[in-house]
Each structure stands twice: as C-alpha cells, then as structure tokens.
C-alpha cells in the first residue's frame, strides 16, 4: 500500500489567497483526520471524518477553514482567505475504526504551508 | 489541566541506557493509548499501542499502562542515537457521544553517543 498521500508537500502563498490541501487515505480505512502542527501549539486535531461524515470539527480555528470528504478516497482542507498565522505543517491521517475504538493512525508526509 | 500531558524535555540519556517517557491523561473513560515517534521534519509514526493495564513489550520498547493512576509510560531499553526523536503520547476515548483522539505535546529524547 502507498500509505496516506498528501499534496502538495510544500505550499508558499500570499496572505489573502485561497489554499487547498489534499489527502488520499489508506485504502480500506474509514476514518480520516486533519491535524495542524506548530512549535508553539504542538499537534492539534482540526477535524475528523468517519465513513466520509464529519464527526467533530471543534478544532477548526475559524470559519476561514473548511474540510470536505466527498468519497472514501479523497479529502480536502481549504483555507480562505489565508493569513500568516496559518503557517504550519498540516498532516492528514487515516485509521480503521471498529465499533467504539479508534485504532492506530497512519500519517501522511504532511504539507508545509507558508503564508507570507 | 491539559487532557494529555507530557514533559517537553529534552530528556538526555547515554547510549545503552534505559529511557523512560511518561504521559498522564485526564479522561477516566479513555480506552486505548498509543506512542508515536516523530523525527525532526517527518510525520509521526506509531511504535506502540496498549489497551489494558500492565506491560506490553515489543523489542526494545515496553509500554506500561496504569488506568487507576491515569498514566502511560514508554521504556526504551539499550537506547541508541537513532532513537533521538520526539515521542508523542496519544489517548483515545469515547465521551458524550463522540470520539476523542488527543495527542500530548511530546517529549524530546536525546540519546548521547
């Protein structure tokens, strides 16, 4: 298996621009997670999906952030408009949930976002 | 109080020694516990999972869980310089009808050659 795939790996944009991050989870996994990591705040869960349905988006910092999962093999995280404080590494992870237990998560390589 | 707490370190140990990493959590209904390793500039990777009280061993790694005291630890025996990384504790619980998967901020481990 190719693992979790994220694109782009690096993104440099100017303040005010729209940014779209993409993720392809591991085939067969039914849960998908979006994280943001910074030195100051560590690894923060933004939103997660179970069977393509958003379960908890309480970590999404504000309305500028939105996420979709139109099918089991694709998800996007969009920031519009972007701000310099959005600069971070964004990780996508997937796992196989069984009943009430979420199993280990497998992380993609991350997208390093820089907003100038 | 943070939901998952770890000492940020750095924890420095000499090569060949035992490294002990600790994690406490606040949610008593937490059900599963994970240790991830993250090298600088890389993504987290799972190294151990533990679901019941006691010890679980995998090679040089031992995870220990004590639900009564709400802590989970990771021991690394015969530490190697290649073990130098940040170790993240993650806790999975099901409360108020939703799942929560919470990471600690990580402990940076330095193994000195």
């Amino acid at each position: 298996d190719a693992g979790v795939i994220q694109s782009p790996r690096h993104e440099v944009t100017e303040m005010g621009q729209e940014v779209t991050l993409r993720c392809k989870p591991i085939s067969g996994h039914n849960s998908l997670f979006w994280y943001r990591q910074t030195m100051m705040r560590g690894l923060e869960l933004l939103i997660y999906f179970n069977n393509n349905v958003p379960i908890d988006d309480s970590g999404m910092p504000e309305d500028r952030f939105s996420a979709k999962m139109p099918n089991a093999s694709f998800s996007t995280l969009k920031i519009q408009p972007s701000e310099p404080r959005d600069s971070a590494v964004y990780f996508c992870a997937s796992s196989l949930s069984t009943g009430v237990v979420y199993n280990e998560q497998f992380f993609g390589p991350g997208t390093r976002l820089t907003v100038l | 109080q943070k939901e998952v707490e770890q000492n940020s370190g750095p924890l420095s140990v000499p090569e060949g020694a035992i490294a002990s990493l600790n994690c406490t959590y606040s949610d008593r209904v937490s059900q599963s516990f994970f240790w991830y390793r993250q090298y600088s500039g890389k993504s987290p990777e799972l190294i151990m999972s533990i679901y019941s009280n006691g010890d679980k061993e995998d090679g040089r790694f031992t995870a220990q869980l004590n639900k009564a005291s709400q802590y989970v630890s990771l021991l690394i025996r015969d530490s190697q310089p290649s073990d130098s990384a940040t170790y993240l504790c993650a806790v999975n619980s099901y409360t108020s009808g939703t799942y929560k998967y919470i990471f600690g901020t990580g402990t940076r481990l330095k193994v000195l050659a």
Side-chain angles (χ1 to χ4, degrees), chain B residues 3 5 7 10 13-14 21 23-24 26 28 44 49 52-53 59 68 75 81 83 86 90 98 110-112:
Chain B
E3 293 179 275
E5 292 204 56
N7 188 317
V13 299
L21 306 165
C23 171
T24 58
S26 60
R28 286 189 171 275
S49 59
S52 54
N53 279 328
L75 302 179
D83 295 325
T86 296
T98 62
K110 288 185 175 181
V111 180
L112 307 173

Side-chain angles (χ1 to χ4, degrees), chain A residues 37 48 99-100 102 104-105 108, chain B residues 36 38 43 46 92 99 101:
Chain A
Q37 188 174 42
Y48 69 94
V100 297
Y102 278 91
E104 52 267 32
Q105 297 187 7
Chain B
Y36 290 79
Q38 186 176 23
S43 55
L46 180 78
N92 179 30
Y99 304 110
Y101 201 104

Side-chain angles (χ1 to χ4, degrees), chain A residues 9 33 35 37 41-43 45 48 50 55-56 91 99-110 112, chain B residues 31-32 34 36 38 41-46 49 51 88 92-94 97-105:
Chain A
R9 294 291 306 276
F33 305 78
Y35 292 91
Q37 188 174 42
R41 300 175 67 90
L43 196 64
L45 176 64
Y48 69 94
N50 195 27
I55 302 299
D56 185 353
F91 288 108
V100 297
V101 176
Y102 278 91
N103 294 315
E104 52 267 32
Q105 297 187 7
F106 295 84
F107 283 75
R112 182 173 296 277
Chain B
Q31 299 164 332
S32 47
F34 306 89
Y36 290 79
Q38 186 176 23
K42 302 294 185 182
S43 55
E45 57 177 336
L46 180 78
S49 59
Y51 301 93
L88 301 165
N92 179 30
S93 61
Y94 181 75
T98 62
Y99 304 110
K100 294 168 59 177
Y101 201 104
I102 310 292
F103 278 87
T105 53

Side-chain angles (χ1 to χ4, degrees), chain B residues 67-89:
Chain B
K67 290 187 177 181
S69 300
Q70 294 177 240
Y71 82 79
V72 57
S73 61
L74 180 70
L75 302 179
I76 306 175
R77 290 182 299 281
D78 188 24
S79 296
Q80 300 298 309
S82 59
D83 295 325
S84 298
T86 296
Y87 289 80
L88 301 165
C89 169

Side-chain angles (χ1 to χ4, degrees), chain A residues 20-82:
Chain A
T20 299
L21 311 181
R22 296 173 177 80
C23 176
K24 175 178 169 57
I26 292 173
S27 177
H29 282 186
N30 59 353
S31 300
L32 183 140
F33 305 78
W34 281 103
Y35 292 91
R36 177 173 68 177
Q37 188 174 42
T38 61
M39 288 293 292
M40 293 296 294
R41 300 175 67 90
L43 196 64
E44 301 175 277
L45 176 64
L46 301 177
I47 184 171
Y48 69 94
F49 297 83
N50 195 27
N51 295 318
N52 311 338
V53 176
I55 302 299
D56 185 353
D57 65 355
S58 59
M60 297 285 260
E62 47 198 276
D63 292 345
R64 298 184 297 107
F65 286 69
S66 62
K68 293 182 180 180
M69 191 165 186
N71 57 62
S73 58
F74 184 66
S75 177
T76 59
L77 177 68
K78 185 176 293 186
I79 307 172
Q80 166 62 18
S82 58

